[in-house]
């Protein structure tokens, strides 16, 4: 009825509203709530606040009034009770002895096809479904587009279809081939770029970016070559029309949709054609829901012939200016290689320095001496010539720093640039037509190369011995017995001179298979500094003039002349009295023979392994990449080939072998020394601890140590003054007594460490074994 006032329902005048009634037994109050229902025009929620409810006769509503089928009148509204929950029914039956009737049918609700606007009469009546509709409004398309845009945003926001594609605009038209199964196979040049195409489902826009990645051999498409001038984003986020050429003439745009993007298809982006070859897993899932299967397109890189341009020579019509790299760049347009930043950071300020002489038939050039400096950070070389007076040759910079060609590489290859392994003792290098022979290596350079044997194989004693054993050198000779016979003729102290070592190596046929640098590596490995340090201590503690000791100051320093004498004597000892431990060289050959057919783990990772018997200990120790005799000798807890069983097990555990109780018992039973030797060991061990660790390459540290030990204290509380002394030293003054004690070591008795027995009753810190005999059993010469 058109005359009905605004807001009065015209179709549904009777409305059914469902309520839930709560009756509180505590205070007999009632609360009513209306569940929320969509499209009713009602806010729902709380219908009646908790409180007392009265009937028409002014009597409060009781629990018996709330039975299904009864009626309540609340605020002018009629409420029919239709059902009760199970708890309420059980309560009525148990407490009130009332059985509630079954649930009553609920009247139907409002029509589901009518919204709140029709129920309230704010618009016209619901149209007849059979009636003919009128024409569409002018904003129909705009409204439809906005609704679709809102729908896509609410459903697909954050969802992106991602594809990998190749630009094939500039490629050969025959790049797409078919294999035997009629599947597409793409063959592309090595310099083809790879792109990432993203399709945003929320607004159907597309962006395209360049993919940059490192070269990964032949399995990687050549996407690593990207011009720096080209931006990473080549197509910003926007809609792309398939008929962009017709759009320029005024046609309506037809944009790309998800169904147009399938692997193997080619899309035209404003004249640049892109071939879709793959997509991610999310994209495959979306297309699977659409009934479309995305298959990856096989891509192969065409073999590209590497063109080697010959280096132009004089007479080809160019000037010989700059390096060869600059020449190639100017003549052929070759891209100049960039600097290796990682290599520069790793080897910054690291150099290899050596001394060389010139190989020449000219008498003037024979005595010329050069200092070669090789810079590891960029493989450049610098040569300085020593200045010699009255030689007729001006010294100084012989060759400025730069990269140069080595015309005589040691691997008999064609001339190439200098590399770090070209710098070693005895090597002959040739540059600019001049041949130089390296006759001496800097000590720091030797240490650096020995620290990194994987990069410098000539400085690895283990690798040298393994190569010699594989060549069968010394296979049928007991090398240890030969060295021992020479040693017995000269006193039998376990050390030989350099000339004797080289003579024996020549005798057994080893010298001819190794060069000068490898000989030096082996000698440096077995060089003995122990006797040298001990001789330096005993010779110089008694030669310090008493006039150099200040009796009135708390800090005593040696005079300049005394320090000079110490340095000179130190140098003479290191040059003339250096000896070499031949047993350690034999240990290297024994180790190399034991692992010649096995794979050796050269990593620094230590895996602990339990050993419970002596036989297993000897076998596993021999095959370990650890020179046990050298490790035990260089440890501060050993002395003269002896060590306690406690320190021995600590060293073995540190290097990966855990010695068990049974193995310890067998070690003690076979290698324990007598009591007199044990007492002498603890005496020498305490002297070694008290006199500090002497470094024969640091005279300043030695000077400070001696000054600190000879400190004169008037009150006589110096530790040396409180120790027991013999009859000769007791009558000496305190300063002279200390000098006597330091020189003789007579005050040093047993170790003050408290002896504690282990679970087997063995005092491990008091049991001394001979580790030289043990190492002889470990490294047996079983090939002779």
């Amino acid at each position: 009825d058109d005359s009905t006032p605004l807001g009065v329902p015209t179709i549904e005048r009777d409305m059914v509203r469902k309520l839930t009634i709560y009756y509180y037994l505590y205070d007999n109050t009632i609360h009513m709530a209306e569940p929320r229902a969509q499209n009713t025009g009602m806010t729902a929620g709380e219908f009646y606040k908790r409180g007392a409810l009265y009937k028409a006769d002014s009597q409060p509503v009781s629990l018996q009034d709330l039975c299904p089928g009864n009626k309540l009148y609340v605020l002018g509204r009629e409420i029919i009770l239709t059902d009760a929950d199970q708890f309420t029914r059980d309560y009525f039956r148990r407490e009130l002895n009332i059985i509630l009737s079954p649930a009553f049918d609920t009247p139907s609700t409002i029509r589901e096809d009518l919204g709140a606007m029709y129920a309230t009469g704010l618009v016209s009546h619901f149209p007849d479904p059979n009636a003919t509709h009128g024409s569409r409004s002018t904003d129909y398309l705009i409204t439809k587009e906005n609704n679709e845009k809102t729908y896509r945003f609410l459903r697909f926001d954050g969802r992106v279809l991602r594809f990998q594609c190749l630009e094939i605009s500039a490629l050969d038209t025959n790049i797409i081939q078919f294999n035997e199964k009629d599947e597409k196979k793409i063959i592309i040049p090595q310099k083809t770029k790879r792109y990432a195409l993203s399709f945003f489902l929320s607004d159907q826009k597309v962006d395209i970016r360049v993919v940059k990645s490192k070269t990964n051999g032949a399995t990687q498409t050549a996407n690593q070559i990207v011009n720096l001038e080209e931006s990473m984003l080549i197509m910003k986020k926007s809609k792309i029309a398939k008929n962009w050429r017709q759009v320029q003439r005024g046609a309506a745009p037809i944009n790309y949709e998800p169904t147009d993007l399938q692997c193997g298809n080619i899309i035209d982006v404003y004249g640049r054609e892109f071939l879709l070859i793959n997509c991610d897993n999310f994209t495959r899932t979306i297309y699977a829901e659409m009934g479309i299967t995305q298959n990856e397109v096989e891509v192969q890189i065409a073999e590209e012939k590497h063109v080697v341009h010959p280096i132009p020579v004089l007479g080809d019509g160019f000037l010989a200016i700059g390096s060869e790299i600059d020449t190639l760049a100017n003549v052929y347009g070759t891209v100049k290689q960039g600097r290796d930043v990682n290599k520069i950071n790793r080897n910054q300020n690291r150099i290899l320095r050596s001394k060389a002489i010139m190989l020449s038939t000219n008498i003037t050039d024979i005595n010329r001496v050069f200092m070669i400096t090789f810079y590891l950070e960029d493989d450049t070389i610098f040569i300085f010539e020593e200045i010699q007076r009255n030689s007729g040759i001006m010294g100084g910079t012989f060759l400025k720093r730069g990269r140069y060609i080595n015309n005589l590489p040691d691997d008999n290859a064609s001339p190439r640039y200098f590399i770090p392994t070209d710098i070693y003792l005895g090597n002959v290098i040739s540059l600019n037509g001049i041949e130089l022979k390296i006759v001496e290596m800097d000590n720091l350079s030797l240490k650096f190369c020995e620290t990194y044997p994987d990069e410098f194989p000539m400085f690895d004693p283990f690798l040298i011995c393994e190569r010699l054993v594989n060549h069968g050198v010394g296979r049928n000779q007991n090398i240890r017995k030969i060295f021992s016979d020479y040693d017995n003729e000269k006193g039998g102290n376990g050390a030989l001179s350099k000339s004797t070592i080289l003579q024996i190596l020549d005798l057994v046929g080893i010298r001819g298979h190794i060069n000068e640098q490898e000989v030096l590596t082996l000698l440096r490995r077995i060089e003995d500094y122990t006797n040298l340090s001990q001789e330096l201590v005993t010779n110089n503690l008694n030669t310090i003039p008493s006039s150099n000791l200040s009796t009135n100051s708390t800090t005593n320093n040696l005079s300049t002349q005394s320090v000079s004498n110490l340095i000179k004597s130190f140098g003479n000892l290191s040059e003339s009295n250096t000896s070499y431990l031949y047993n350690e060289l034999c240990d290297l050959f024994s180790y190399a023979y034991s692992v010649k057919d096995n794979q050796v783990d050269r990593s620094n990772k230590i895996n602990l392994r339990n050993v419970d018997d002596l036989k297993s200990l000897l076998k596993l120790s021999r095959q370990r990449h650890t020179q046990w005799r050298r490790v035990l000798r260089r440890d501060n807890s050993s002395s003269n080939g002896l060590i306690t069983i406690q320190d021995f097990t600590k060293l073995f555990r540190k290097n990966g072998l855990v010695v068990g109780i049974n193995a310890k018992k067998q070690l003690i039973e076979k290698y324990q020394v007598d009591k007199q030797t044990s007492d002498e060991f603890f005496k020498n061990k305490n002297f070694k601890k008290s006199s500090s660790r002497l470094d024969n390459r640091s005279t300043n540290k030695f000077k400070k140590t001696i000054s600190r030990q000879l400190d004169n204290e008037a009150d006589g509380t110096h530790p040396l003054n409180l120790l027991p002394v013999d009859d000769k030293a007791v009558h000496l003054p305190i300063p002279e007594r200390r000098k006597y004690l330091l020189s003789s070591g007579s005050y040093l008795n047993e170790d003050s460490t408290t002896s504690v027995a282990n679970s087997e009753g063995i005092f491990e810190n008091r049991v001394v074994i001979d580790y030289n005999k043990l190492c002889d059993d470990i490294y047996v010469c079983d090939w002779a």
Side-chain angles (χ1 to χ4, degrees), residues 443-476:
N443 189 37
L444 293 179
S445 301
L446 291 173
K447 284 186 175 181
F448 176 80
C449 296
E450 292 169 353
T451 306
Y452 299 96
D454 294 338
E455 300 180 13
F456 302 93
M458 292 187 184
F459 295 83
D460 187 357
F462 293 94
L463 190 61
I464 295 172
C465 293
E466 290 175 17
R467 180 168 55 84
L468 291 175
V469 169
N470 290 333
H471 288 178
V473 177
R475 179 67 63 83
N476 299 323

Side-chain angles (χ1 to χ4, degrees), residues 306-433:
H306 182 65
V307 180
V308 179
H309 297 293
I311 300 175
V313 296
L314 289 175
D316 291 344
F318 76 98
L319 296 177
I321 300 176
S323 63
E324 296 179 355
I325 297 178
D326 297 332
T327 301
L328 291 174
N330 294 332
V331 176
Y332 299 106
T334 306
V335 179
K336 189 175 182 180
Q337 296 181 356
R339 303 176 65 188
D340 190 349
V341 179
N342 295 331
K343 181 178 180 181
I344 294 174
N345 294 335
R346 183 176 65 254
N347 297 318
Q348 190 173 15
N349 299 329
R350 289 181 174 178
I351 60 176
L352 300 179
R353 186 179 286 111
S354 61
K355 182 184 290 187
I357 60 175
M358 182 180 293
L359 300 180
S360 175
T361 58
N362 190 351
I363 301 177
T364 307
D365 296 335
I366 293 178
N367 296 325
R368 298 175 67 178
V369 180
F370 303 88
M371 297 298 298
I372 301 177
T373 304
F374 186 88
Y375 297 86
L376 295 174
E377 58 185 23
D378 53 1
D379 293 343
T380 56
I381 193 171
F382 169 75
I383 301 179
F384 178 86
E385 183 176 1
E386 292 186 0
I387 300 175
Q388 299 182 12
R389 299 182 60 182
N390 300 326
S391 63
I393 299 176
M394 182 181 299
T397 300
F398 179 79
L399 188 67
K400 69 176 184 179
R401 180 178 176 180
R403 293 193 66 191
Y404 296 97
I405 297 291
N406 183 10
N407 296 317
L408 291 176
D410 55 354
D411 52 1
N412 297 325
S414 58
R416 52 167 173 76
Y417 285 102
F418 277 95
I419 57 178
T421 53
D422 290 336
I423 308 300
Y424 62 88
L425 184 64
N427 189 28
V428 178
I429 61 177
S430 175
L431 64 163
N432 297 339

Side-chain angles (χ1 to χ4, degrees), residues 7 276 479:
L276 305 181
I479 300 178

